[in-house]
Amino acid sequence: QQQVKQSPQSLIVQKGGISIINCAYENTAFDYFPWYQQFPGKGPALLIAIRPDVSEKKEGRFTISFNKSAKQFSLHIMDSQPGDSATYFCAASDSNSGYALNFGKGTSLLVTP
Amino acid sequence: ETGVTQSPTHLIKTRGQQVTLRCSSQSGHNTVSWYQQALGQGPQFIFQYYREEENGRGNFPPRFSGLQFPNYSSELNVNALELDDSALYLCASSRSNTGGGETQYFGPGTRLLVL
């Protein structure tokens, strides 16, 4: 079964706006939560990642917010740009499984000019 | 670019055939994980190799097998191909002292089409 649930499936945001993608998980053993960006015909590229001992991590325009009690985490893309148009995947993993990644189903983001 | 390379980029096979996909890990990385990504879906973990041995496996049948070589490169072999095996196969490399490694960097993938 899907261990990481991701929403929305697709998202349209105007240039300069904030894109927000949400993920939820059940397995409390997960201790590493990365976000990947994938362009058509390419492999996923690591964007940013967080561990559950931190509630927020920011790198440039990308921010992860993490709520351990709710078992939810989200990606915020500030000042969204047309070049950010891609598919975004959240994932979760843990040391017991060699950090095998459990991916969400992805969110297709379109940033309009 | 991550430094992870995969070959071939595209492949067409017929049902029942066998296929071998190859992956070269990023310099300094000793662990390779393989994922299958069906169209419009997130990648699914197939298995992971560390120190030339399988170090974990997802929900895939035994006809999916692999190898890791002393230089940490890896192969994915799929026997008795089925139509549902059509997908993008991704290799990811990472570094660990115990197997695994949380930060995984993906290659560009091999697109397999089974007819």
Side-chain angles (χ1 to χ4, degrees):
Chain A
Q1 71 280 20
Q2 195 78 23
Q3 294 208 52
V4 179
K5 296 184 179 179
Q6 183 172 347
S7 63
Q9 186 176 354
S10 62
L11 185 59
I12 300 175
V13 173
Q14 283 194 328
K15 180 182 175 182
I18 303 174
S19 304
I20 302 174
I21 304 170
N22 301 300
C23 286
Y25 65 97
E26 286 298 325
N27 187 348
T28 55
F30 289 148
D31 60 7
Y32 181 71
F33 301 86
W35 284 87
Y36 284 86
Q37 177 191 58
Q38 187 175 30
F39 292 103
K42 304 290 186 182
L46 180 64
L47 262 182
I48 186 172
I50 198 168
R51 288 195 165 275
D53 54 348
V54 176
S55 61
E56 185 174 284
K57 184 175 181 180
K58 183 176 181 180
E59 289 185 1
R61 295 186 294 112
F62 300 94
T63 299
I64 299 179
S65 297
F66 188 86
N67 186 329
K68 187 174 180 178
S69 61
K71 292 184 285 186
Q72 295 175 348
F73 58 111
S74 61
L75 176 69
H76 292 63
I77 305 174
M78 314 300 286
D79 187 26
S80 298
Q81 299 296 312
D84 296 331
S85 298
T87 301
Y88 292 81
F89 293 96
C90 62
S93 63
D94 68 273
S95 58
N96 295 331
S97 64
Y99 290 105
L101 292 166
N102 298 274
F103 283 89
K105 289 191 174 183
T107 296
S108 178
L109 172 65
L110 176 64
V111 181
T112 60
Chain B
E1 299 296 325
T2 62
V4 180
T5 61
Q6 293 186 242
S7 63
T9 55
H10 296 83
L11 205 50
I12 300 175
K13 291 286 187 178
T14 56
R15 195 170 48 180
Q17 285 189 312
Q18 178 265 342
V19 69
T20 297
L21 311 181
R22 295 177 176 83
C23 170
S24 291
S25 60
Q26 184 170 312
S27 177
H29 286 185
N30 56 8
T31 302
V32 173
S33 302
W34 286 91
Y35 294 81
Q36 179 195 67
Q37 186 177 22
L39 204 59
Q41 300 294 317
Q44 296 288 316
F45 174 69
I46 302 174
F47 45 54
Q48 180 183 93
Y49 275 82
Y50 171 69
R51 290 187 174 178
E52 302 176 49
E53 292 189 358
E54 190 177 288
N55 186 48
R57 189 179 185 92
N59 189 26
F60 281 80
R63 58 189 186 85
F64 286 78
S65 63
L67 285 172
Q68 186 181 33
F69 301 98
N71 67 353
Y72 307 125
S73 66
S74 177
E75 286 183 355
L76 164 65
N77 299 289
V78 187
N79 293 321
L81 283 167
E82 301 176 0
L83 297 179
D84 283 350
D85 295 335
S86 295
L88 180 68
Y89 287 85
L90 295 161
C91 156
S93 76
S94 56
R95 182 182 176 189
S96 171
N97 294 326
T98 57
E102 59 204 28
T103 305
Q104 297 186 32
Y105 297 94
F106 284 83
T110 294
R111 174 73 64 187
L112 173 65
L113 177 61
V114 182
L115 301 176

